[in-house]
Amino acid sequence: MTIVDEREPLLRARELVQEFTVRGRGGVKGGVVHAVSGVSFDINVGETLGVVGETGSGKSTLARSIIQAPRPKSGEVHFKGTDLVRCKRGRLAEARRHMQMVFQDPFGSLNPRWRISDIVAEPLIGYGAGSGGARARRVRELLDLVGLNPDSYGRRRPHELSGGQCQRVAIARAIALDPALIVCDEAVSSLDVLIQAQVLNLFEQLRSELGLSYLFISHDLALVKQVSDRVAVMHLGQLCEIGPAETLYRTPLHPYTVALLASIPDLDPSAARHRARLSIHGEPPSPISPPSGCRFRTRCPRAAARCADEAPVLREITPGHSVACHFPVTS
Amino acid sequence: MSIEEVSELASPAPVYGGAEPLLEVSDLRVRFDAKGRRVNAVNGLSYHVHAGRMLAIIGESGSGKSVSSRALMGLLPPTARISGSARFLGTDLLSLSEREMRRHRGADLAMVFQDPTRSLNPTMRIGTQITEAVRAHGDVDKRAAFDRAMELLQLVRLPAPERRFYEYPHQLSGGMRQRVMIAIALAADPKLLIADEATTALDVTTQAQVMELLLELQERLGTAIIMISHDLGLAASYAHDVIVMYAGRAVEYAPASTLFSHVRMPYTRALLGAIPRLERTPHSLLPVTPGQPPDLTALPPGCPFAPRCSRAQDDCHAEPPPFAEHEPGHWWACWHPCEVGGPAEEGGR
Ligand SMILES: Nc1ncnc2c1ncn2[C@@H]1O[C@H](COP(=O)(O)OP(=O)(O)OP(=O)(O)O)[C@@H](O)[C@H]1O
Ligand SMILES: Nc1ncnc2c1ncn2[C@@H]1O[C@H](COP(=O)(O)OP(=O)(O)OP(=O)(O)O)[C@@H](O)[C@H]1O
Ligand code: SF4
Ligand code: SF4
Ligand SMILES: [Mg+2]
Ligand SMILES: [Mg+2]
């Protein structure tokens, strides 16, 4: 058992890099996809870090690098005192028990041949938690917690469930072993808002009662704000801004964050469509050959000559609120 | 409740003035029977869509949105018992043989599925998958199919389509995979497109781009679109009409503008009250609707929402409310509908 220093963050990620080599074909050049390029952050005990960013910005890749599936190309991930990137397999398996992930695709992550109750019981069996009877009770309790009646759903297989029901099975499995960290990749976006509220309240209860921490990835900016202590904004494999949720949403510093926040739809039909059109213009640049200097410069309304020459690094502007931009937005 | 009792709930097909609808679904019922388990997934669903219109279907997870659409496409497993009718271009889709169905599917009737991993072939390059979809429904040579596939990838705004063409599904992000599926569905310029949570994995900007693209297509080709989504904001912004489903039935149906400003169904109210809002502070607990979603293996005799409804009275537990047009163009199924302009969170308890 590792002694955890109270002041140490639960998770400390440093300079994480993940790259994929793609082969060229049909006259198209291959190259290296820079999916995650030098990302660093901490997550404290009982804290939720939200991650937002457009599609393809590297959020899922970042999440998978944290849980070492696959291991990142370089960088460090310190979790409860162990560097997961360098540790032995056995240590990693032990750490994984305390670190669970709910994936973006609810169907792909469940074994199609297993019954729902066996899927939820698997981690309990794998880590030898409890006797047979206690395990069965725990499985029922877990299914109840995520709003699935164990009598009605326990014996079914994934294809007999709806999309949102599969996602809840994945969530039940993730919380089975009372982990210390749950990595949620779009974990609640396939749920209707009533179930979503129920699951989010469950997450919140586990956080305040058991001190669980979350890395919470979602496209829903309002949702992220509601659950997160701090929020990180990702753009083309890099963090461009990170800070306390309230502050970041009230006074965004990075032009990209400003554009993201401007695109939040609302329930007034005419306003929603108007705002959507206001948002970021142009295609995101290729992650194979990202622009020199600042990776946002090809779409940035504030870009100047310096932005092409010099890559901005994250710097703290107000306590805990950092931005990677040469000309941050000041009200 | 047995299937016979459930059929007492038969809801009349809503009627609109104007031209013939492109698709008219009446009293659709789907029941799964497997090893002594009976699931009443769809319990008398009726709606219609006109060419050039977008209908949003929203509602509870497990309320039968995907199953009812798969029934139209002839894509349910053999354990499914289907009844009712679905008239599309003069034929009843539910009575077609598998061979006849295959002629429609992917051609004038296309669907984007909720689960990318089950609908994209993981061992095939995405370019090949789109080219195949193009060639399956038109007599085009290889070169023309390639050009069309590339055009489709550009249409759905996949970044760097020349390179992505040769990649496998696992090399794409979740949002990119979803755009590839939309491209495949659009390959044959379908007359009706069913998009099941097609934009769920997309960020707001890309989502807006894809929705604009669909609208453009709709204007240009008169495509009818059924959009299944949990995103009420999306439905409010883009759909012409909205159906709210609960326990396999429609419970409210109206033009989008009417629905969101004049909610009458307590369940719809509850949905609107639970939407994440920017004003909420971190870690605030959300208003919850108590109780579990209805158990489709044993539906209660009265209104299926009654155990969770703040407006429920004795009569709600006794008899199911009929789904009827109470105001012009506005249908709902409730004995004690909300007052227009009532408090936003009064639906749940
Ligand atoms: N196995 C892989 N091989 C090649 N490229 C990959 C691989 N996995 C991811 N990528 C690329 O890395 C980039 C980041 O992908 P990632 O899935 O992390 O994005 P994301 O932010 O999660 O997007 P989304 O919001 O759409 O899920 C994308 O350009 C993607 O195509
Ligand atoms: N093959 C099957 N056998 C038995 N029950 C099934 C089967 N497929 C679906 N169901 C059940 O039918 C109901 C309706 O499922 P459906 O997939 O249509 O829900 P949905 O409204 O699309 O939900 P979601 O928003 O979560 O995707 C669910 O309760 C589900 O468990
Ligand atoms: S560094 Fe320059 S290009 Fe990059 S976000 Fe800031 S102003 Fe824009
Ligand atoms: S008021 Fe009665 S009929 Fe209406 S939704 Fe509530 S329980 Fe159902
Ligand atoms: Mg992702
Ligand atoms: Mg579904």
Side-chain angles (χ1 to χ4, degrees):
Chain A
M1 173 142 190
T2 9
I3 309 296
V4 184
D5 183 342
E6 282 299 318
R7 288 151 306 169
E8 264 288 289
L10 175 71
L11 180 90
R12 190 150 53 87
R14 286 295 173 270
E15 291 300 319
L16 277 182
V17 174
Q18 185 64 292
E19 293 171 351
F20 304 102
T21 308
V22 289
R23 276 186 300 149
R25 238 201 95 186
V28 183
K29 273 219 303 268
V32 175
V33 178
H34 302 272
V36 173
S37 311
V39 171
S40 306
F41 59 85
D42 293 342
I43 299 179
N44 295 314
V45 175
E47 188 188 42
T48 302
L49 177 69
V51 180
V52 298
E54 69 198 318
T55 158
S57 56
K59 304 179 297 296
S60 299
T61 308
L62 175 66
R64 276 187 239 110
S65 311
I66 301 281
I67 65 159
Q68 312 297 307
R71 281 191 159 161
K73 189 155 172 273
S74 66
E76 298 165 20
V77 178
H78 295 274
F79 178 70
K80 293 188 151 206
T82 310
D83 181 359
L84 303 182
V85 181
R86 269 154 216 93
C87 73
K88 292 234 164 57
R89 271 245 206 90
R91 284 296 284 284
L92 184 59
E94 179 54 28
R96 279 250 185 96
R97 169 182 183 157
H98 302 288
M99 189 188 243
Q100 295 290 324
M101 178 148 175
V102 182
F103 291 93
Q104 190 165 0
D105 175 15
F107 299 97
S109 59
L110 305 180
N111 188 329
R113 284 183 296 274
W114 287 21
R115 290 177 194 286
I116 300 308
S117 52
D118 296 335
I119 291 175
V120 178
E122 186 205 25
L124 298 169
I125 298 168
Y127 286 98
S131 64
R135 244 183 350 245
R137 272 195 302 281
R138 177 78 176 136
V139 169
R140 296 181 64 86
E141 177 186 294
L142 287 163
L143 286 175
D144 256 333
L145 276 174
V146 295
L148 294 174
N149 178 345
D151 295 318
S152 174
Y153 295 97
R155 286 178 304 153
R156 293 198 212 172
R157 295 176 211 279
H159 70 90
E160 295 174 303
L161 264 56
S162 80
Q165 290 164 346
C166 283
Q167 191 63 300
R168 282 179 272 162
V169 172
I171 292 169
R173 184 179 57 182
I175 60 177
L177 290 166
D178 296 325
L181 176 72
I182 302 185
V183 178
C184 297
D185 190 356
E186 299 286 355
V188 297
S189 35
S190 60
L191 305 180
D192 67 81
V193 285
L194 295 187
I195 295 290
Q196 194 176 70
Q198 192 180 327
V199 168
L200 291 177
N201 284 355
L202 170 66
F203 281 172
E204 179 55 29
Q205 186 194 341
L206 295 172
R207 191 194 65 83
S208 58
E209 286 170 14
L210 303 174
L212 237 76
S213 306
Y214 300 89
L215 181 71
F216 197 95
I217 299 172
S218 174
H219 285 126
D220 188 333
L221 295 155
L223 184 82
V224 165
K225 172 165 178 247
Q226 199 170 279
V227 302
S228 307
D229 296 282
R230 289 184 301 129
V231 173
V233 183
M234 225 178 151
H235 175 263
L236 212 64
Q238 297 174 322
L239 290 195
C240 57
E241 182 164 1
I242 183 167
E246 292 276 3
T247 321
L248 189 137
Y249 278 65
R250 202 172 345 104
T251 50
L253 297 170
H254 199 282
Y256 177 64
T257 314
V258 173
L260 270 187
L261 292 177
S263 69
I264 299 178
D266 60 48
L267 275 179
D268 174 12
S270 51
R273 286 172 73 167
H274 175 68
R275 292 181 106 178
R277 291 204 182 100
L278 267 182
S279 54
I280 312 150
H281 292 284
E283 296 296 322
S286 160
I288 289 193
S289 48
S292 67
C294 174
R295 289 186 180 182
F296 187 54
R297 73 176 160 84
T298 52
R299 297 189 287 167
C300 180
R302 301 168 76 88
R306 182 175 167 205
C307 305
D309 301 335
E310 197 187 321
V313 290
L314 265 184
R315 60 195 166 102
E316 191 162 302
I317 305 289
T318 58
H321 191 180
S322 306
V323 66
C325 172
H326 297 307
F327 310 105
V329 181
T330 41
S331 55
Chain B
M1 169 182 256
S2 72
I3 191 83
E4 289 72 27
E5 284 171 274
V6 172
S7 44
E8 297 295 318
L9 315 182
S11 37
V15 209
Y16 264 102
E20 279 269 288
L22 180 72
L23 171 72
E24 187 156 14
V25 176
S26 321
D27 198 27
L28 176 65
R29 285 159 198 278
V30 181
R31 181 183 86 193
F32 293 99
D33 274 318
K35 297 192 207 109
R37 278 199 308 276
R38 170 172 291 187
V39 180
N40 299 308
V42 183
N43 302 309
L45 177 67
S46 304
Y47 64 80
H48 59 237
V49 203
H50 284 271
R53 302 279 286 184
M54 187 183 294
L55 170 76
I57 303 184
I58 60 181
E60 188 98 350
S61 163
S63 60
K65 303 181 297 295
S66 301
V67 166
S68 58
S69 318
R70 282 177 173 265
L72 303 185
M73 301 285 294
L75 290 174
L76 286 177
T79 49
R81 298 278 165 279
I82 308 168
S83 69
S85 72
R87 296 198 71 78
F88 175 70
L89 295 173
T91 51
D92 181 7
L93 293 175
L94 303 182
S95 66
L96 294 183
S97 71
E98 172 57 26
R99 237 183 82 217
E100 292 165 318
M101 190 65 224
R102 221 175 290 142
R103 265 213 316 276
H104 284 287
R105 206 160 49 214
D108 42 26
L109 195 58
M111 181 160 174
V112 182
F113 296 96
Q114 192 172 5
D115 42 344
T117 39
R118 278 200 224 163
S119 33
L120 287 176
N121 182 339
T123 63
M124 227 162 122
R125 293 177 201 278
I126 63 145
T128 319
Q129 300 191 43
I130 301 183
T131 320
E132 280 198 352
V134 170
R135 301 195 68 179
H137 302 286
D139 189 16
V140 285
D141 63 25
K142 253 195 159 148
R143 183 71 224 172
F146 174 88
D147 290 344
R148 170 81 179 138
M150 202 57 96
E151 184 190 308
L152 285 164
L153 287 179
Q154 274 156 359
L155 208 62
V156 294
R157 308 234 156 61
L158 190 75
E162 311 77 29
R163 180 161 57 79
R164 301 293 183 189
F165 195 89
Y166 299 103
E167 291 190 354
Y168 293 93
H170 80 269
Q171 294 179 301
L172 270 53
S173 80
M176 294 176 195
R177 276 198 291 268
Q178 226 158 10
R179 279 184 270 180
V180 169
M181 296 201 304
I182 295 173
I184 290 176
L186 295 179
D189 288 333
K191 294 202 172 56
L192 175 70
L193 175 71
I194 304 179
D196 192 353
E197 300 285 352
T199 61
T200 306
L202 301 179
D203 59 87
V204 273
T205 312
T206 316
Q207 195 173 60
Q209 284 172 354
V210 169
M211 292 312 293
E212 295 290 332
L213 160 84
L214 292 179
L215 285 182
E216 195 186 301
L217 212 87
Q218 194 156 51
E219 273 161 37
R220 195 157 48 86
L221 303 170
T223 317
I225 298 174
I226 297 178
M227 178 180 79
I228 300 172
S229 178
H230 286 300
D231 188 334
L232 293 125
L234 197 74
S237 321
Y238 294 98
H240 298 107
D241 306 296
V242 180
I243 288 186
V244 183
M245 281 186 76
Y246 193 79
R249 300 178 64 201
V251 292
E252 190 160 10
Y253 179 27
S257 50
T258 313
L259 185 79
F260 290 101
S261 54
H262 295 80
V263 176
R264 303 309 296 268
M265 194 50 210
Y267 172 64
T268 314
R269 255 296 142 82
L271 281 182
L272 288 170
I275 295 178
R277 288 182 197 282
L278 277 174
E279 309 88 80
R280 292 210 182 94
T281 49
H283 302 312
S284 52
L285 284 181
L286 298 162
V288 288
T289 305
Q292 301 281 357
D295 181 359
L296 297 175
T297 55
L299 283 171
C303 169
F305 190 54
R308 310 169 73 188
C309 181
S310 63
R311 301 179 65 85
Q313 297 178 22
D314 288 348
D315 53 346
C316 302
H317 296 278
E319 209 181 317
F323 182 61
E325 189 174 15
H326 295 282
E327 280 166 15
H330 195 165
W331 298 63
W332 64 78
C334 176
W335 293 121
H336 311 287
C338 307
E339 298 308 318
V340 170
E345 286 164 13
E346 88 178 321
R349 267 197 287 210

